[in-house]
Amino acid sequence: MVAKKIEKYEDLKTMNFKVEKIKTLDDFPPIKGINFEKKVSVGKLIDSMATTGFQAANLAKAVHIIKAMQREKAKIFLGFTSNMITSGVREIINYMCKHKMVHSITTTAGGVEEDIVKCFKPFVVGEFDADGRGLLQSGIARTGNIFIPNDRYLYFERFMEKFFVKMNAKQKKEGKVMAITEFTNLLGKEIDNKDSYLYWAHKNGIPVYCPPIIDGAIGDMLYFFKQKHPEFQLDLVDDVRKIVDYSLSVEKTGAIILGAGVPKHHILNSNILRGGLDYTVYVNTAQEYDGCDSGARIDEAITWGKVNPKGMDVKVFCDATIAFPLIMSAVLEK
Amino acid sequence: MVAKKIEKYEDLKTMNFKVEKIKTLDDFPPIKGINFEKKVSVGKLIDSMATTGFQAANLAKAVHIIKAMQREKAKIFLGFTSNMITSGVREIINYMCKHKMVHSITTTAGGVEEDIVKCFKPFVVGEFDADGRGLLQSGIARTGNIFIPNDRYLYFERFMEKFFVKMNAKQKKEGKVMAITEFTNLLGKEIDNKDSYLYWAHKNGIPVYCPPIIDGAIGDMLYFFKQKHPEFQLDLVDDVRKIVDYSLSVEKTGAIILGAGVPKHHILNSNILRGGLDYTVYVNTAQEYDGCDSGARIDEAITWGKVNPKGMDVKVFCDATIAFPLIMSAVLEK
Amino acid sequence: MVAKKIEKYEDLKTMNFKVEKIKTLDDFPPIKGINFEKKVSVGKLIDSMATTGFQAANLAKAVHIIKAMQREKAKIFLGFTSNMITSGVREIINYMCKHKMVHSITTTAGGVEEDIVKCFKPFVVGEFDADGRGLLQSGIARTGNIFIPNDRYLYFERFMEKFFVKMNAKQKKEGKVMAITEFTNLLGKEIDNKDSYLYWAHKNGIPVYCPPIIDGAIGDMLYFFKQKHPEFQLDLVDDVRKIVDYSLSVEKTGAIILGAGVPKHHILNSNILRGGLDYTVYVNTAQEYDGCDSGARIDEAITWGKVNPKGMDVKVFCDATIAFPLIMSAVLEK
Amino acid sequence: MVAKKIEKYEDLKTMNFKVEKIKTLDDFPPIKGINFEKKVSVGKLIDSMATTGFQAANLAKAVHIIKAMQREKAKIFLGFTSNMITSGVREIINYMCKHKMVHSITTTAGGVEEDIVKCFKPFVVGEFDADGRGLLQSGIARTGNIFIPNDRYLYFERFMEKFFVKMNAKQKKEGKVMAITEFTNLLGKEIDNKDSYLYWAHKNGIPVYCPPIIDGAIGDMLYFFKQKHPEFQLDLVDDVRKIVDYSLSVEKTGAIILGAGVPKHHILNSNILRGGLDYTVYVNTAQEYDGCDSGARIDEAITWGKVNPKGMDVKVFCDATIAFPLIMSAVLEK
């Protein structure tokens, strides 16, 4: 093992604290927490986190990097797992789509369908430990500490049945199997509801990628729809061309990835051919020790060419329901 | 909160230890670890784990449930994330496909492509902490503590280019967009190599589902292939019909799911319409606290109708590279 | 298993949202995230977390419970692992001691000694991935992403040598082996520095318990001190009397525990004889699956009589450097 | 950041696979899992894990290092958290003490007292999800998925009351406050039961360190004992001298640490003055991201001088109830 001596602050990957002033180790920024003797704003809270250490420091760094993405006009790839839409993080994603703060989205099936479901009736506050058998008898599905009474899916089914008929007609008319981003775009158009991020993504031309779109309630419904309309298909390949073309065509790319799994891998993989992401922010709680891609550190992504080794990057180990509202409050603060 | 008094052992979900003999709490099976004074076999090791407590007890329960799946002739849905194929767990999956111990497989893109890549040249033992920039310069990609020298992907590309040409010709001839299980089946046929689980799955008629098949090197290659052959597509919907039809047609279903993400959700979701899985074994290290489906406990799956509340189930919190060889050693022991 | 049907919101342990208004499931509070269209303050951020779900909801509940502790004049037992003092959370603990917001403290050795060390020279911002061998050669110790140049410990040694001499003289004079809280109290007096929480604990009569006080640099120094002064001892038993007497003498007790290990167990154990804690807030990232007390949920503590089953309690799964500044900002907001 | 190019296998810290044969990357040991076509023994299972990758590889490395400790006659410091004694890992620790395979032990309070409690009546198999309020009413305490009916503690109290009287008499007679290792040694003598590891530790002169000995039921009992015998004390400082003297006096030291917290820190800290541990095996599931010492990687311990940078070391991320029986089976296999 080659030992790397730490001599200058530039040898580290940490956030820039006016590096020109740092000559020796004693000039490194001192660890110092928030001062509650003075008035506290969200901005001051985040500023103090930069010198608090551990994940607070990483959270402050995430703010720093997202601001750099904006300043450098990087195109932002937002990725999130379905639970982000189950939770109140949906409202933030909605805001970002409405205000054109993101340029491409990747999610999983639930990340598409729950956005539609919630347009009919909200999910409600529940708890993690509620007994599963009791909930089943009560007609309540549970995601973490969020309860989803079953009637929500009845409204959804009615809506989707009509939507499938339309899509199938369109497909027949055009004589071409539809790509998933076309499907999600038309879903946003059809729902026509300002609480929906799919609506704003449609409005603002932000593609919503969802490779495993059939892996959820939409799949279950398609099972029945296919019995009458066996010709209905969805194409997986066109979207590859689309997202890679986009990543190759722009000057700088950045990723904000909440959770992991397919959304994380898909965004990273789409940035290989261009030489990797210039700005990378992960917010997730997955660990690397079992070799899963979800827990893989950014350093692993660098070996695959997914992240540019000269870029700015950070992983925040934190549930996104805590970290992301905080990060975006600071990013948006004037 | 209704308090549940624990009076009988049957009130618990734990493994059956001759329940008829248990009258009072003092008859509950005592905690007792392995006795190294006697000769130790894999079978005895696992037996002792049943009374060792914590995850050892869950691991013993997983053996118990998989044996029940076999005894009751349940159809087994095997799910795994790509890192299982990166690692030596691939050899176990290969063995299970060869000996028809599983009936349906779901994985992610890497779980398909790395099986092919490894047929050309093996991956090698590396380490978690190797510096990413150094590896990049050395032409080595890293997955956990496994190194993958870049040349492996050159062989893979050559193979896939020819394969795409064949698939495209077939698609044109038949005038129908191909489903993913058809694609993975033909891949197993074409690789024609006994070290490949795709080969044995093909041989033994085991479908390999992979909704996000384009999310990896295959996707990158399709990007280039599409430039010359824009007509090439892959359909996502036919496989929904196929897997749900199967789960509805069989008497009992069981799941063995290594890792989480799409493979976990896809198998569970495919068992909703039949009333849930009868036997469920999760092996993963994901946690529930951030509301992600990967970490969701089986109790959450019960509320969604994915797991039968009257079935047998366990989650083993352990890296599958340790747990699964151990579990299968005990299952296979005569 | 007895299934518990969920009929009323009171059946849940979640935070009180004007329960009297909740008649049916449809009256349960809807999941809804923060609204960035309006001006955001720390208070509004936390309020929105209550309906964001997952750990955000638990964080909001922690604020709710700490406010209840204050309102009901519960005596607050603060526990923290040493890394809280390594980080900028020290400034918050300092503030709480100065303003008499806590009544008893339990920590580990590093939680005492690093408070003193930092009075001489600060720790600095570093990074998690810095190579260990390189740091060793550079004379820098690392705790997470915080760097501690070795010279800090030289100042500390000089200070402690004099302190030990004083303590030994006192012990000889009084003819009684000193308890640990006496030792930490005199340490706070001797350091006489307003940046130290030990100073404020001393000033305001807050006992600082530290059963494993010798497990760190103080222990190393005592090793040498004992060679000249073999008679020097520290007693472990007197403090048991002290903390249990206190917990038995007060009307309500509450715990705020950052991290786990001995600080968590010690506070819980000290509240058994009184019938358990009335208010309990855990902030840690440990998991229960390996049976360790650190990851044990509050529900386990209830079975041991450590937490009152009729009390208010929550565990926030989050790094305390993010969660605790946020929680205390909201608690302190007028 | 200085990038380290990976050229030779010696540049890695991984296990020695006949390194002299490895010239280029293509000679690195290939990843290959277990072959179930051949007869499987525990030894073969472990051997295959060395090339399975992820934590399986680390587990095989742990076996390799413990065998090296034995071969090189290193003095072994065994550390474990109390849940190891709650579980069936106790039987392995018992075996190791009986056969003099360890030379020093550090644990927490539960790790001492549960060894005694179990001599009266065993703990029993339970489950993680049993409702806490129901268990409390049933008189059952829970640790993970292990149930501990309350009567066990009545037997323990009777035993300890007599023991305290003896200890106090001894202390008065000798006119000296007793050290904790003296206390645990006499406890092992008094229990006089071959199922107890404390008994074997006493028999074979293995000191049992437990800095926070009062943090549990023993503490509760001392609370009452002190009311009649306020003079009873236990000294924390003498044991520092004892353990450091030992670590300085021996040629090579090795650590096997199951779980983390105080047992982990105490063993590491006791090896600083000698220049760090020569052989280090951690088995725990704690993570480093929140800066806690429990989750700190070995690389962090190197910066503090706790682990010799030229030694052999590994951390196995796994519940010890699975990993440790497996590791010791392989170590003991002829």
Side-chain angles (χ1 to χ4, degrees):
Chain A
M1 301 288 297
V2 186
K4 288 182 292 181
K5 240 181 147 177
I6 305 295
E7 283 162 345
K8 292 170 305 187
Y9 198 68
E10 294 92 324
D11 294 341
L12 304 180
K13 292 186 296 178
T14 50
M15 195 162 55
N16 258 20
F17 291 95
K18 295 188 183 151
V19 169
E20 68 278 9
K21 288 194 184 163
I22 296 171
K23 297 281 184 291
T24 75
L25 190 66
D26 282 340
D27 295 327
F28 277 30
I31 294 293
K32 185 97 190 159
I34 191 163
N35 182 356
F36 280 133
E37 303 288 358
K38 296 186 181 165
K39 203 173 146 44
V40 170
S41 67
V42 176
K44 281 194 182 139
L45 187 61
I46 298 289
D47 284 348
S48 76
M49 284 188 174
T51 55
T52 290
F54 308 150
Q55 294 309 308
N58 283 350
L59 191 145
K61 199 176 169 189
V63 172
H64 185 71
I65 295 177
I66 295 174
K67 283 183 171 174
M69 292 186 202
Q70 294 183 326
R71 201 174 49 239
E72 302 297 325
K73 303 203 187 318
K75 298 305 173 189
I76 298 180
F77 292 69
L78 177 67
F80 49 86
T81 44
S82 63
N83 55 330
M84 295 295 97
I85 299 306
T86 319
S87 78
V89 172
R90 177 184 179 234
E91 274 69 47
I92 304 178
I93 292 170
N94 195 39
Y95 180 94
M96 293 172 86
C97 290
K98 182 177 169 189
H99 293 278
K100 302 182 191 175
M101 294 173 67
V102 296
H103 306 92
S104 176
I105 284 177
T106 304
T107 188
T108 48
V112 169
E113 56 198 40
E114 297 191 15
D115 182 59
I116 303 295
V117 174
K118 282 179 136 182
C119 290
F120 302 113
K121 241 179 162 182
F123 297 174
V124 301
V125 173
E127 68 182 22
F128 279 100
D129 292 342
D131 179 67
R133 286 158 180 79
L135 287 171
L136 184 70
Q137 287 182 32
S138 312
I140 302 172
R142 178 175 73 78
T143 294
N145 55 359
I146 295 176
F147 287 170
I148 306 166
N150 295 165
D151 64 342
R152 272 67 175 163
Y153 278 87
L154 299 179
Y155 297 105
F156 182 54
E157 274 176 43
R158 277 180 228 159
F159 174 83
M160 288 306 290
E161 274 163 25
K162 285 181 201 156
F163 183 71
F164 287 149
V165 171
K166 266 197 188 175
M167 291 306 102
N168 201 32
K170 180 176 153 63
Q171 197 155 282
K172 276 183 183 164
K173 195 176 149 196
E174 297 177 356
K176 190 174 160 294
V177 175
M178 188 184 287
I180 293 161
T181 50
E182 209 178 335
F183 183 87
T184 52
N185 177 43
L186 293 169
L187 208 45
K189 184 181 175 192
E190 208 65 31
I191 190 66
D192 193 27
N193 184 319
K194 288 178 182 172
D195 291 341
S196 155
Y197 84 86
L198 286 169
Y199 168 80
W200 289 110
H202 157 74
K203 270 284 188 203
N204 291 327
I206 304 162
V208 177
Y209 296 91
C210 183
I213 182 87
I214 52 79
D215 183 25
I218 288 177
D220 304 342
M221 293 170 196
L222 280 175
Y223 174 74
F224 295 109
F225 186 76
K226 283 280 279 189
Q227 297 182 348
K228 290 189 202 154
H229 308 277
E231 70 281 8
F232 187 72
Q233 295 188 307
L234 279 173
D235 168 54
L236 202 52
V237 186
D238 267 357
D239 282 345
V240 177
R241 188 199 44 71
K242 188 170 177 173
I243 196 167
V244 177
D245 265 351
Y246 183 71
S247 94
L248 287 174
S249 71
V250 300
E251 214 163 316
K252 297 265 181 190
T253 59
I256 303 172
I257 306 175
L258 314 176
V262 165
K264 172 173 181 274
H265 193 274
H266 185 254
I267 290 174
L268 292 170
N269 200 71
S270 309
N271 277 273
I272 290 180
L273 293 177
R274 78 184 308 278
L277 285 154
D278 301 291
Y279 304 94
T280 312
V281 173
Y282 295 176
V283 181
N284 73 61
T285 65
Q287 297 299 333
E288 70 164 343
Y289 68 87
D290 67 357
C292 66
D293 187 66
S294 288
R297 287 180 292 127
I298 290 170
D299 205 55
E300 182 170 317
I302 285 174
T303 72
W304 290 93
K306 295 167 179 172
V307 168
N308 188 329
K310 291 180 182 161
M312 296 174 74
D313 53 68
V314 74
K315 172 171 177 179
V316 187
F317 288 82
C318 189
D319 177 358
T321 61
I322 291 178
F324 202 53
L326 201 50
I327 288 170
M328 291 310 297
S329 293
V331 167
L332 290 166
E333 209 179 45
K334 295 295 161 342
Chain B
M1 301 288 296
V2 185
K4 289 182 293 181
K5 238 182 147 175
I6 306 296
E7 282 160 345
K8 292 169 306 183
Y9 197 68
E10 294 93 322
D11 293 342
L12 303 180
K13 291 186 297 178
T14 51
M15 194 163 55
N16 258 19
F17 291 95
K18 296 187 183 154
V19 169
E20 68 277 9
K21 288 194 184 161
I22 296 171
K23 297 281 182 291
T24 74
L25 191 67
D26 281 341
D27 296 327
F28 276 31
I31 293 294
K32 185 95 190 159
I34 193 163
N35 182 355
F36 280 133
E37 302 290 357
K38 297 186 181 165
K39 204 176 146 43
V40 170
S41 67
V42 177
K44 280 193 183 139
L45 187 61
I46 298 289
D47 283 349
S48 76
M49 283 188 174
T51 55
T52 290
F54 308 150
Q55 293 310 309
N58 282 350
L59 191 146
K61 200 176 169 187
V63 172
H64 185 72
I65 295 177
I66 295 174
K67 283 183 172 174
M69 291 186 202
Q70 294 183 326
R71 201 173 50 238
E72 303 297 326
K73 304 203 187 317
K75 298 305 175 191
I76 298 181
F77 291 69
L78 177 68
F80 49 85
T81 43
S82 64
N83 54 331
M84 294 296 97
I85 299 305
T86 319
S87 78
V89 172
R90 178 185 180 233
E91 275 69 48
I92 305 180
I93 292 169
N94 195 39
Y95 180 94
M96 294 172 86
C97 289
K98 182 177 171 190
H99 294 278
K100 302 183 191 175
M101 293 173 68
V102 297
H103 306 91
S104 176
I105 284 176
T106 303
T107 187
T108 47
V112 169
E113 57 198 40
E114 297 190 15
D115 182 60
I116 303 294
V117 174
K118 282 178 136 183
C119 291
F120 302 113
K121 240 178 164 183
F123 297 174
V124 301
V125 172
E127 67 182 22
F128 280 101
D129 293 341
D131 179 65
R133 284 158 180 80
L135 288 171
L136 185 69
Q137 287 182 32
S138 311
I140 302 172
R142 180 176 72 79
T143 295
N145 55 0
I146 294 177
F147 287 170
I148 305 167
N150 295 166
D151 63 342
R152 275 67 176 161
Y153 278 87
L154 299 179
Y155 297 105
F156 181 55
E157 274 176 43
R158 279 179 226 158
F159 174 83
M160 288 306 289
E161 273 163 26
K162 287 181 199 155
F163 183 73
F164 287 148
V165 171
K166 266 197 189 176
M167 291 306 101
N168 201 31
K170 181 176 153 64
Q171 196 155 284
K172 275 182 183 163
K173 194 176 150 197
E174 296 178 358
K176 192 175 160 291
V177 174
M178 187 184 289
I180 294 162
T181 50
E182 210 178 335
F183 183 87
T184 53
N185 177 42
L186 293 169
L187 209 43
K189 184 180 174 194
E190 208 64 30
I191 190 66
D192 193 27
N193 185 318
K194 289 179 182 172
D195 290 343
S196 155
Y197 84 86
L198 287 169
Y199 168 78
W200 289 111
H202 158 72
K203 270 283 187 203
N204 290 327
I206 304 163
V208 177
Y209 295 91
C210 183
I213 183 85
I214 51 81
D215 182 23
I218 289 177
D220 303 342
M221 294 170 195
L222 281 175
Y223 174 73
F224 294 110
F225 186 75
K226 283 280 279 189
Q227 297 182 348
K228 290 187 201 156
H229 309 276
E231 69 282 8
F232 187 72
Q233 294 189 307
L234 278 173
D235 168 52
L236 203 52
V237 187
D238 267 356
D239 281 345
V240 177
R241 189 199 43 70
K242 187 171 179 172
I243 196 167
V244 176
D245 266 350
Y246 183 71
S247 94
L248 287 174
S249 71
V250 300
E251 214 163 316
K252 298 264 181 190
T253 59
I256 303 172
I257 306 173
L258 313 176
V262 164
K264 173 174 181 272
H265 193 274
H266 185 254
I267 290 175
L268 292 170
N269 200 70
S270 308
N271 276 273
I272 291 180
L273 293 177
R274 77 183 310 278
L277 285 154
D278 301 292
Y279 304 94
T280 311
V281 173
Y282 294 176
V283 181
N284 73 59
T285 64
Q287 298 298 333
E288 70 165 342
Y289 68 87
D290 68 357
C292 65
D293 187 66
S294 287
R297 287 179 293 127
I298 292 171
D299 206 56
E300 182 170 317
I302 285 174
T303 72
W304 289 93
K306 294 167 179 173
V307 168
N308 187 329
K310 290 180 182 161
M312 296 174 75
D313 52 67
V314 73
K315 172 172 177 178
V316 186
F317 288 82
C318 189
D319 177 357
T321 61
I322 291 178
F324 203 52
L326 201 51
I327 289 171
M328 290 311 296
S329 293
V331 166
L332 290 166
E333 208 179 45
K334 295 296 162 338
Chain C
M1 301 288 297
V2 186
K4 288 182 293 180
K5 242 182 144 176
I6 306 296
E7 283 161 346
K8 293 168 304 183
Y9 198 70
E10 293 93 323
D11 294 341
L12 303 180
K13 290 185 297 178
T14 49
M15 194 163 53
N16 257 20
F17 290 96
K18 294 185 185 154
V19 168
E20 68 279 9
K21 287 194 184 162
I22 296 171
K23 296 280 182 292
T24 75
L25 190 65
D26 282 340
D27 295 327
F28 276 32
I31 293 293
K32 187 95 191 158
I34 191 164
N35 182 355
F36 279 133
E37 302 290 356
K38 296 184 182 166
K39 203 175 147 46
V40 171
S41 67
V42 176
K44 280 192 182 142
L45 187 61
I46 297 289
D47 283 348
S48 76
M49 284 189 173
T51 56
T52 290
F54 309 149
Q55 293 311 308
N58 282 351
L59 192 144
K61 200 176 169 187
V63 172
H64 186 71
I65 295 176
I66 295 174
K67 283 183 172 174
M69 291 185 203
Q70 294 183 325
R71 201 174 50 239
E72 302 297 325
K73 305 203 186 318
K75 297 306 174 189
I76 298 181
F77 292 69
L78 177 68
F80 49 85
T81 43
S82 63
N83 54 331
M84 295 296 98
I85 299 306
T86 318
S87 79
V89 172
R90 176 184 181 233
E91 274 70 47
I92 304 178
I93 292 169
N94 195 39
Y95 181 94
M96 292 172 86
C97 289
K98 182 177 169 190
H99 293 278
K100 303 182 190 175
M101 294 174 68
V102 297
H103 307 91
S104 176
I105 284 176
T106 303
T107 187
T108 47
V112 169
E113 57 198 40
E114 297 190 15
D115 182 60
I116 303 294
V117 174
K118 282 178 136 183
C119 290
F120 301 113
K121 239 176 164 186
F123 297 174
V124 300
V125 172
E127 68 181 22
F128 280 100
D129 292 342
D131 180 67
R133 286 159 180 79
L135 288 171
L136 184 70
Q137 287 182 31
S138 312
I140 302 172
R142 179 176 71 79
T143 295
N145 56 359
I146 295 176
F147 287 170
I148 305 166
N150 296 165
D151 64 342
R152 274 67 174 162
Y153 279 87
L154 299 179
Y155 298 103
F156 181 54
E157 275 175 43
R158 277 178 227 158
F159 175 82
M160 288 306 291
E161 274 163 26
K162 286 181 201 155
F163 183 72
F164 288 148
V165 171
K166 266 197 189 175
M167 290 306 103
N168 200 32
K170 181 176 153 63
Q171 198 156 282
K172 276 184 184 164
K173 194 176 152 198
E174 297 177 359
K176 192 173 159 292
V177 175
M178 188 184 289
I180 295 162
T181 49
E182 208 177 338
F183 183 88
T184 53
N185 176 44
L186 293 170
L187 209 44
K189 183 181 175 193
E190 207 66 29
I191 191 65
D192 193 27
N193 185 319
K194 288 179 182 173
D195 290 342
S196 154
Y197 83 86
L198 286 169
Y199 167 79
W200 289 111
H202 157 73
K203 269 283 187 205
N204 290 326
I206 304 163
V208 177
Y209 295 91
C210 183
I213 184 84
I214 53 80
D215 183 24
I218 289 177
D220 304 342
M221 294 169 195
L222 281 176
Y223 174 75
F224 294 110
F225 186 76
K226 284 281 279 191
Q227 297 181 346
K228 289 188 203 155
H229 310 276
E231 70 282 8
F232 187 70
Q233 294 190 305
L234 279 173
D235 167 52
L236 203 52
V237 187
D238 267 356
D239 281 345
V240 177
R241 189 197 45 68
K242 186 170 179 173
I243 196 167
V244 177
D245 266 350
Y246 184 70
S247 95
L248 287 174
S249 71
V250 300
E251 213 163 319
K252 298 264 181 191
T253 60
I256 303 172
I257 307 174
L258 313 177
V262 163
K264 174 174 179 275
H265 193 274
H266 185 254
I267 290 174
L268 291 170
N269 200 72
S270 310
N271 276 272
I272 290 181
L273 293 177
R274 77 184 307 280
L277 284 154
D278 301 291
Y279 304 93
T280 312
V281 173
Y282 295 176
V283 181
N284 73 61
T285 65
Q287 297 298 333
E288 69 164 342
Y289 68 87
D290 68 357
C292 65
D293 187 67
S294 288
R297 287 180 293 128
I298 291 171
D299 206 55
E300 183 170 315
I302 286 174
T303 71
W304 290 94
K306 294 167 179 171
V307 168
N308 188 329
K310 292 183 181 158
M312 297 175 75
D313 53 67
V314 74
K315 172 171 176 179
V316 186
F317 287 82
C318 189
D319 177 357
T321 61
I322 292 177
F324 202 52
L326 201 51
I327 288 170
M328 290 312 296
S329 292
V331 166
L332 290 166
E333 207 178 47
K334 294 297 163 338
Chain D
M1 301 288 296
V2 186
K4 288 181 292 180
K5 241 182 146 176
I6 306 296
E7 284 161 345
K8 293 168 304 183
Y9 198 68
E10 293 93 322
D11 293 341
L12 303 180
K13 290 185 297 177
T14 50
M15 194 162 55
N16 257 20
F17 291 95
K18 295 184 184 153
V19 168
E20 69 277 10
K21 288 193 184 162
I22 295 171
K23 297 280 183 292
T24 76
L25 190 66
D26 282 339
D27 296 326
F28 276 31
I31 293 293
K32 186 97 190 157
I34 191 163
N35 182 356
F36 280 133
E37 303 289 358
K38 297 187 180 162
K39 205 174 145 45
V40 170
S41 66
V42 176
K44 281 192 182 141
L45 188 61
I46 297 289
D47 283 348
S48 76
M49 284 188 173
T51 57
T52 290
F54 308 149
Q55 294 310 308
N58 283 350
L59 191 145
K61 199 176 170 188
V63 172
H64 186 72
I65 295 176
I66 295 174
K67 283 183 173 175
M69 291 185 202
Q70 294 183 326
R71 201 174 49 239
E72 302 297 326
K73 303 202 188 320
K75 299 305 175 190
I76 299 181
F77 292 69
L78 176 68
F80 49 86
T81 43
S82 64
N83 54 331
M84 294 296 98
I85 299 305
T86 318
S87 79
V89 172
R90 176 184 180 234
E91 274 71 46
I92 305 179
I93 292 169
N94 195 39
Y95 180 94
M96 294 173 85
C97 289
K98 182 177 168 188
H99 293 278
K100 303 182 190 174
M101 295 173 66
V102 297
H103 306 90
S104 175
I105 284 177
T106 303
T107 187
T108 47
V112 168
E113 57 197 40
E114 297 191 16
D115 181 61
I116 303 294
V117 174
K118 280 179 137 184
C119 291
F120 302 113
K121 240 176 162 184
F123 297 174
V124 300
V125 172
E127 67 181 22
F128 280 100
D129 292 342
D131 179 67
R133 285 158 179 80
L135 287 171
L136 184 70
Q137 287 182 32
S138 310
I140 302 173
R142 180 175 71 79
T143 294
N145 55 0
I146 295 176
F147 286 170
I148 305 166
N150 295 165
D151 64 343
R152 273 68 175 161
Y153 278 86
L154 299 179
Y155 297 104
F156 181 55
E157 274 176 43
R158 277 180 227 158
F159 174 83
M160 289 306 290
E161 274 163 26
K162 286 181 201 157
F163 183 73
F164 288 148
V165 170
K166 266 196 189 178
M167 291 306 102
N168 200 31
K170 181 177 154 65
Q171 197 155 283
K172 275 184 183 163
K173 194 176 149 196
E174 297 177 358
K176 190 172 162 294
V177 174
M178 188 184 290
I180 294 163
T181 49
E182 207 178 338
F183 183 87
T184 53
N185 176 43
L186 292 170
L187 209 44
K189 183 181 175 193
E190 207 66 30
I191 190 65
D192 193 27
N193 185 318
K194 288 179 182 171
D195 290 342
S196 156
Y197 83 87
L198 286 170
Y199 168 79
W200 289 111
H202 158 73
K203 270 283 187 203
N204 291 327
I206 304 162
V208 178
Y209 296 90
C210 183
I213 183 84
I214 53 80
D215 183 24
I218 289 176
D220 303 343
M221 293 168 196
L222 281 176
Y223 174 74
F224 293 111
F225 186 77
K226 285 278 278 189
Q227 297 182 347
K228 288 187 204 155
H229 308 276
E231 70 281 9
F232 188 71
Q233 294 189 305
L234 278 174
D235 168 53
L236 202 52
V237 187
D238 267 355
D239 282 345
V240 176
R241 188 199 45 70
K242 187 171 179 172
I243 196 167
V244 177
D245 265 350
Y246 184 71
S247 95
L248 286 174
S249 70
V250 299
E251 212 162 319
K252 298 264 181 191
T253 59
I256 303 172
I257 307 174
L258 314 176
V262 164
K264 174 175 181 272
H265 193 275
H266 185 254
I267 290 175
L268 292 169
N269 200 73
S270 309
N271 276 273
I272 291 180
L273 293 178
R274 78 183 308 281
L277 284 154
D278 301 290
Y279 304 94
T280 312
V281 173
Y282 294 176
V283 182
N284 73 59
T285 64
Q287 297 299 333
E288 70 165 341
Y289 69 87
D290 67 357
C292 65
D293 186 68
S294 288
R297 288 181 292 128
I298 291 171
D299 206 55
E300 183 171 317
I302 286 174
T303 71
W304 289 94
K306 294 168 178 170
V307 168
N308 188 328
K310 291 181 182 159
M312 297 175 75
D313 53 69
V314 74
K315 173 172 176 178
V316 187
F317 288 82
C318 190
D319 177 357
T321 61
I322 291 178
F324 202 53
L326 202 50
I327 288 170
M328 290 312 296
S329 293
V331 167
L332 291 167
E333 209 178 45
K334 295 295 162 342

